[in-house]
Amino acid sequence: MHSIISRIDSVRQRIKTAAEKAGRSERDIVLLAVSKTRSHMAINEAFEARVHAFGENYVQEAIEKIDRLKEKSIIWHFIGALQTNKTRIIADRFDWVHSVDRMKIAQRLNNHRDPAQQRLNICLQVNIDNEASKAGLSTTIVGDAVKQVLELPHIRLRGLMAIPAPRDNESAQRSVFARVRTLQEEINSGLDNSQKLDTLSMGMSADLEAAIQEGATVVRIGTDIFGPRERRAE
Ligand SMILES: *Cc1c(COP(=O)(O)O)cnc(C)c1O
């Protein structure tokens, strides 16, 4: 049996090794622990190992855990499929949303965000492999969406998120992540300094090394921290 703490140690080691190989600092990469389907006790254990950012996919389940853990200084990231009837509670209870895949959702999150709170950090999800089954903006329209989101006063647009189709070798993984990075660079070249996107949310348990090689600033790790999920994934 591996404990959550020892699994976190080995994920951190992988991040460090990949960062060094890429000439980057591990400090520039956020370890986002994906805690969907996990108990608040499991989250607490990861928190004790100095993980402070957690990603959740299911709103109801997430809110229960956020309520239970409200004494802890946790940064909560919503990374799941977004329904319009959930935007109010997400805008209210989360710090980040990675899975914004249409303008209507961005507008609603903006409208529901309390102006007294800090702006809601969001990433636009890109359907980098153009998969019919997957959420995300097509690469051809991301640039327009960025311009529109930048107009929303209670949103802080941070970057792009992608979930590529699985590939079985690192060079194939790298080439798709490189496309996300290039897309972000193209977008940034047209933006003022104050607006430039600084976040690339990409890389999961199976491909975090490739993602870090290609500039990931947030890796979203579930299985390799908490062990296999019982299903209800995706
Ligand atoms: C579940 C999930 C992850 C974590 O995947 P693992 O393979 O368990 O590391 C990352 N990102 C998103 C969007 C997810 O839904």
Side-chain angles (χ1 to χ4, degrees):
M1 260 302 282
H2 292 284
S3 68
I4 290 173
I5 290 177
S6 69
R7 286 172 183 276
I8 289 170
D9 276 345
S10 63
V11 170
R12 283 213 173 96
Q13 191 55 52
R14 285 169 64 194
I15 292 172
K16 184 166 190 270
T17 304
E20 276 166 6
K21 202 167 145 198
R24 304 179 57 200
S25 165
E26 63 192 298
R27 285 194 303 276
D28 296 334
I29 298 148
V30 173
L31 171 55
L32 177 62
V34 175
S35 47
K36 62 179 171 220
T37 78
R38 318 296 179 167
S39 70
H40 69 279
M41 277 110 73
I43 295 175
N44 206 34
E45 206 173 324
F47 184 82
E48 295 299 318
R50 292 176 292 101
V51 173
H52 293 151
F54 290 87
E56 290 281 342
N57 294 59
Y58 311 110
V59 176
Q60 198 50 49
E61 177 198 321
I63 298 302
E64 285 168 27
K65 291 183 256 184
I66 293 172
D67 282 341
R68 271 186 183 271
L69 294 162
K70 61 176 180 297
E71 307 302 327
K72 313 261 181 214
S73 50
I74 290 177
I75 312 287
W76 292 101
H77 296 241
F78 189 81
I79 63 172
L82 284 156
Q83 294 163 287
T84 49
N85 63 350
K86 299 284 167 58
T87 49
R88 182 184 295 276
I89 189 149
I90 291 172
D92 192 36
R93 305 302 302 275
F94 283 83
D95 305 293
W96 282 74
V97 182
H98 291 230
S99 41
V100 176
D101 59 354
R102 48 203 194 275
M103 271 317 294
K104 187 178 178 194
I105 294 285
Q107 278 152 356
R108 291 179 65 102
L109 290 170
N110 177 68
N111 294 343
H112 292 315
R113 184 68 169 181
D114 180 350
Q117 281 179 292
Q118 286 190 351
R119 285 184 293 163
L120 181 65
N121 296 294
I122 75 164
C123 293
L124 293 176
Q125 183 173 348
V126 180
N127 189 355
I128 194 70
D129 283 315
N130 269 315
E131 294 171 277
S133 63
K134 212 163 265 175
L137 294 156
S138 107
T139 53
T140 54
I141 63 164
V142 182
D144 286 333
V146 164
K147 290 198 192 97
Q148 293 175 52
V149 172
L150 284 170
E151 302 292 318
L152 302 172
H154 308 303
I155 297 284
R156 183 165 172 214
L157 180 60
R158 299 298 296 268
L160 304 181
M161 183 273 240
I163 312 172
R167 286 153 169 87
D168 60 10
N169 67 81
E170 194 169 327
S171 79
Q173 292 169 351
R174 279 188 65 165
S175 70
V176 65
F177 288 133
R179 286 197 278 123
V180 184
R181 172 176 46 78
T182 305
L183 180 61
Q184 174 133 307
E185 286 167 357
E186 284 166 9
I187 290 167
N188 272 342
S189 70
L191 298 180
D192 294 342
N193 276 334
S194 63
Q195 296 179 320
K196 286 201 197 303
L197 309 182
D198 62 6
T199 300
L200 273 176
S201 169
M202 57 188 197
M204 317 203 297
S205 294
D207 54 15
L208 74 89
E209 284 86 358
I212 289 171
Q213 289 294 308
E214 297 302 335
T217 65
V218 181
V219 289
R220 307 180 312 267
I221 312 298
T223 308
D224 284 359
I225 290 179
F226 297 109
R229 276 184 298 278
E230 304 249 311
R231 234 215 61 74
R232 205 201 168 172
E234 267 53 69

